[in-house]
Amino acid sequence: MDGVRVELIEDNLVIRFSSRVKCLSYAPYNGGLRETSCLLNHQVPKSFRKKPETELQSAIEELALPSDTVGFLTAASVKNYSQKSVRVNGKEVLALCTVGLSNARGVGESSENSSTINTFVVVEQTLNEQALVNALATAVEAKALAMFLLDVRSVTSSKPAVGTSTDALAVVTLGRGKALRYAGSATKVGSAIGKSVFECVKSGVAREASVVTRLCERGVTLDALFEAAKEGVVGKRPKGLKKRFMRELKNALSDPNVCALICAAMRLDDEASEGLVPNLKKSEYFKDSPKMLADEQIGEAIASYIAGTKGVNNFRYYDMLKPRVLRTLPMFLDDALCALVGATMVRVYES
């Protein structure tokens, strides 16, 4: 974008402007509504516990940046920043972000960890103060949507995360052209802001969307599934059980049909826990109401697909036993994983 220069200087992402511009942010240094000629995203260690203002003041002086610099802190790698540009009405909207998820949190969950998502939006078009506030809200919505669709989970509750507890964001207008009053999703500039931030955050997350990753975020590892499977063995355990189980398990989890059913179970648990499944009360969900058969049907589908009738029978066995991690899971996921474990064990013994 003309008049904007993005630089990486050691552990610092610096965004310079050729002239002073209007900026609205909730940055820890020079935040609020002000004019600035520079944005700084300064990387610190995950163990950082100093005062943000003092650290940023020192960084700004060391880098010889102007005193009006708006400063941000992050424990995420600034070298891995992502960038996305969208043009609207002949003018550009530029989004940049750095993403750290070790501090991912849901709504109302707090932490003092410094891993964060810092987002910077530069709008070439003139935005008045009202539109700047609107643009800030639009950018936050886009970030939250990206987190939701990528199924990022809170590191404390394993519920859907909407960001981290220390996220910060800045919107800058370069002041070119007629001033706009609105920048929400109903406007062209708002749409461009949403698209650029969404793609930027999605790229910055840079994570595998594997079902294994998503299970781990819910506290379910492959080793935990083996421990549950092992506990269900009657009599002497065969040699090489773990190796054989892991081979069959990974094979099952490489199949998109199995993954789709497990993902459906995870999403249903999210919906039902908030009372969003029609005609299923939250109280009924948490009591694993016997009127619900869909959870059992997901389990049967997984078990039958992997190991036929024997798989379904062994699913029933593990569903009654619910060993180890399997007894800690919510309604839909427990049946899905009881089926996965039961059917995998059938494949182990058949092989």
Side-chain angles (χ1 to χ4, degrees), residues 260-329:
L261 289 165
I262 293 174
C263 288
M266 291 189 286
R267 185 65 81 190
L268 281 166
D269 279 318
D270 288 342
E271 297 277 320
S273 66
E274 297 298 329
L276 299 177
V277 174
N279 303 314
L280 178 65
K281 297 177 182 177
K282 286 175 67 174
S283 59
E284 293 175 324
Y285 165 74
F286 286 112
K287 291 179 181 177
D288 202 351
S289 171
K291 81 175 188 180
M292 277 302 294
L293 301 176
D295 53 338
E296 303 288 335
Q297 290 171 333
I298 288 175
E300 288 179 2
I302 292 172
S304 177
Y305 181 78
I306 295 173
T309 302
K310 292 180 182 178
V312 174
N313 290 337
N314 217 28
F315 155 51
R316 295 293 182 203
Y317 169 67
Y318 276 94
D319 194 28
M320 288 187 293
L321 188 65
K322 282 188 171 44
R324 296 184 177 267
V325 72
L326 298 179
R327 73 172 61 98
T328 70
L329 302 175

Side-chain angles (χ1 to χ4, degrees), residues 113-183:
N113 192 301
S114 52
S115 178
T116 191
I117 301 173
N118 286 343
T119 308
F120 311 92
V121 181
V122 181
V123 181
E124 188 175 1
Q125 182 82 35
T126 303
L127 302 180
N128 68 13
E129 293 180 5
Q130 174 182 326
L132 278 170
V133 175
N134 212 179
L136 200 73
T138 300
V140 171
E141 290 169 358
K143 179 200 69 175
L145 178 62
M147 298 285 282
F148 177 75
L149 292 180
L150 289 167
D151 195 32
V152 179
R153 315 300 290 190
S154 164
V155 297
T156 55
S157 69
S158 294
K159 292 182 178 180
V162 293
T164 78
S165 61
T166 51
D167 287 355
L169 196 151
V171 177
V172 168
T173 173
L174 299 187
R176 297 171 186 167
K178 182 181 178 181
L180 302 178
R181 294 180 58 197
Y182 304 104

Side-chain angles (χ1 to χ4, degrees), residues 51-107:
K51 288 186 176 180
E53 297 85 352
T54 304
E55 177 71 17
L56 283 163
Q57 178 71 48
S58 298
I60 288 168
E61 291 175 357
E62 186 176 328
L63 294 166
L65 299 179
S67 60
D68 65 3
T69 297
V70 176
F72 298 75
L73 291 177
T74 183
S77 172
V78 296
K79 293 178 182 178
N80 292 332
Y81 80 93
S82 56
Q83 178 175 323
K84 178 68 177 178
S85 176
V86 176
R87 294 194 69 83
V88 56
N89 292 336
K91 296 204 167 36
E92 192 173 353
V93 172
L94 173 67
L96 304 97
C97 73
T98 55
V99 177
L101 295 178
S102 62
N103 183 28
R105 292 292 190 276
V107 175

